[in-house]
Amino acid sequence: MKKRLLALLMALAMMLALAACGSAETETITTEETADAATEDAAEEEAESEDETEAEAEAEAESEAEAAEPEETEDTDEAETVVTRIGSLKGPTSIGLTEMMSWDSADYSFTMETDASALLTEMVSGELDIALIPANAAAIWNTKIEGGVTCIDVNTLGVLYVISADDSIASIEDLAGRTIYLPGQGTSPDYVLQYLLAQHDMSLDDVNVEYQSEAAEVIAALTADPEGVGLLPQPSVTAALNKLEGFSIVLDLTEEWGAVSDTDLITGVTVVRTAFLEEHPEEVAQFLTDHLTSTAAANEDVATTAQRMVDLGILESAAVAETAIPYCNVTCVTGQDMKDMVSAYLQVLYDLEPSSVGGTLPGDAFYYLG
């Protein structure tokens, strides 16, 4: 009996010992699994934090890029919207622009004046970038504003004619003793007349010159004095002949000039503000390309050009304009040919009267050769 009780007690002790071991193993496994889970959770949280940081960095970079884009767009728009402002006179120098004016291009704006001094004021103030003016005025401007303008093309050759009701006038010598009405003292017509008189051993003392402010006044003076002689540019010549009975062209001063000089008679040139040329050379180059195209169109389609001249207020009659255009010698000469022509012409005027070109001849920097 004692032996059986002892065996039972020993068996019970062994069972308790096994139960204790099982409980310790369970606790150990549970602790290890909890640690592993905690490590995984921390890793996941760290990964999520890194993802959020990268997302925030990308969002910030995108925001900065978007903020920079408007500035780039604004700069691009500004570069694309440079408007070249062009001024010209209501006369032959504007004829070559009429095609360009019809384009209604956002690249150009146009202003026409009756007096070159108005264009000078606008150029000096920066209101204009390009101007089409008499050749000697361009030289004077260059001196006045100390190289502030550059010559880029010749736009008009000789346009001066002598009209009279006396068809016996056939040479410069035949003007002796005549009263000559012409627009403007110190203008191209004035200096051309003086040069031609000098080449025939004559001077202003041999004629009676009556200076008028504009072509319309010359026509009015000839109406009152039908024995007088008029010296006018085209298209004013054609307008005068339509109003003055018995008058006709008696001398073509371009031919008279060519007979005594190896230079070209030049009426108008185109100048650009030197600062604009330096800042926007591409726009100036484009203007020259467009001006050449426009000039060719004006000469080829005379009827359309004539109507445009009326629409622009250059002349009142399309019929008069259509008749006059072939006599206006509208052109577009650039580069070295332009320089050779203009410099030679200005030299003639300088030799005649230095003040006619501003007292000094322009240097090489005055000429844009492209």
Side-chain angles (χ1 to χ4, degrees):
M1 184 71 178
K2 289 182 179 178
K3 290 182 180 179
R4 291 180 60 186
L5 180 60
L6 179 62
L8 181 61
L9 290 172
M10 290 178 65
L12 179 62
M14 290 180 65
M15 289 178 63
L16 291 172
L18 289 172
C21 289
S23 175
E25 184 178 354
T26 302
E27 288 177 3
T28 301
I29 292 172
T30 302
T31 302
E32 290 175 355
E33 289 176 350
T34 302
D36 291 341
T39 301
E40 291 177 359
D41 290 342
E44 290 177 359
E45 289 177 1
E46 183 177 357
E48 291 175 358
S49 177
E50 290 178 356
D51 290 341
E52 290 176 358
T53 301
E54 290 179 1
E56 290 175 358
E58 291 177 358
E60 182 177 355
E62 291 176 358
S63 177
E64 291 177 354
E66 290 174 357
E69 284 178 1
E71 294 181 1
E72 294 176 359
T73 302
E74 183 177 346
D75 291 342
T76 301
D77 290 342
E78 181 180 353
E80 292 176 350
T81 55
V82 174
V83 178
T84 303
R85 300 161 299 177
I86 303 165
S88 61
L89 297 171
K90 285 190 176 181
T93 58
S94 291
I95 295 175
L97 293 176
T98 55
E99 172 73 11
M100 289 177 66
M101 292 177 180
S102 73
W103 296 345
D104 193 25
S105 170
D107 296 329
Y108 300 112
S109 67
F110 297 92
T111 299
M112 280 195 295
E113 303 284 359
T114 57
D115 187 350
S117 63
L119 295 178
L120 173 59
T121 300
E122 293 167 15
M123 288 284 278
V124 171
S125 66
E127 297 174 64
L128 289 178
D129 305 310
I130 289 175
L132 287 74
I133 57 175
N136 70 306
I140 294 171
W141 286 19
N142 182 67
T143 300
K144 281 187 174 181
I145 53 182
E146 299 178 348
V149 296
T150 302
C151 185
I152 58 176
D153 74 31
V154 174
N155 58 59
T156 317
L157 297 175
V159 296
L160 295 175
Y161 298 84
V162 173
I163 61 173
S164 174
D166 184 354
D167 58 11
S168 68
I169 298 175
S171 68
I172 296 296
E173 290 91 341
D174 293 334
L175 295 176
R178 303 278 184 165
T179 297
I180 304 174
Y181 298 95
L182 61 97
Q185 186 172 11
T187 60
S188 292
D190 185 16
Y191 291 124
V192 169
L193 175 63
Q194 291 186 47
Y195 174 74
L196 292 176
L197 289 173
Q199 296 305 302
H200 291 84
D201 298 321
M202 299 170 63
S203 71
L204 292 179
D205 293 335
D206 295 304
V207 295
N208 177 31
V209 175
E210 294 287 343
Y211 296 106
Q212 309 297 310
S213 63
E214 59 183 5
E217 289 191 5
V218 172
I219 296 173
L222 292 174
T223 301
D225 179 14
E227 294 184 0
V229 173
L231 196 170
L232 288 167
Q234 286 285 12
S236 297
V237 170
T238 302
L241 296 182
N242 275 9
K243 296 179 179 179
L244 298 169
E245 186 176 354
F247 276 72
S248 64
I249 294 174
V250 293
L251 294 175
D252 179 342
L253 295 193
T254 300
E255 292 181 1
E256 297 297 328
W257 182 282
V260 296
S261 175
D262 58 1
T263 65
D264 292 288
L265 177 56
I266 298 174
T267 296
V269 299
T270 305
V271 296
V272 61
R273 282 193 300 112
T274 303
F276 184 83
L277 174 60
E278 292 171 349
E279 294 168 9
H280 303 288
E282 294 182 358
E283 280 73 14
V284 174
Q286 186 61 53
F287 167 81
L288 288 173
T289 298
D290 292 341
H291 193 202
L292 181 61
T293 299
S294 183
T295 298
N299 285 321
E300 291 168 5
D301 189 351
V302 175
T304 299
T305 303
Q307 185 56 55
R308 286 173 178 161
M309 289 173 66
V310 173
D311 295 341
L312 293 167
I314 299 174
L315 280 179
E316 296 179 356
S317 166
V320 169
E322 189 168 353
T323 302
I325 290 170
Y327 294 94
C328 289
N329 290 319
V330 177
T331 189
C332 183
V333 181
T334 61
Q336 188 63 48
D337 289 341
M338 172 273 296
K339 179 183 178 182
D340 292 344
M341 292 171 64
V342 176
S343 60
Y345 174 69
L346 294 179
Q347 182 68 60
V348 169
L349 295 185
Y350 178 83
D351 293 341
L352 174 70
E353 173 53 62
S355 64
S356 67
V357 295
T360 184
L361 289 170
D364 290 342
F366 176 64
Y367 303 97
Y368 172 73
L369 303 184

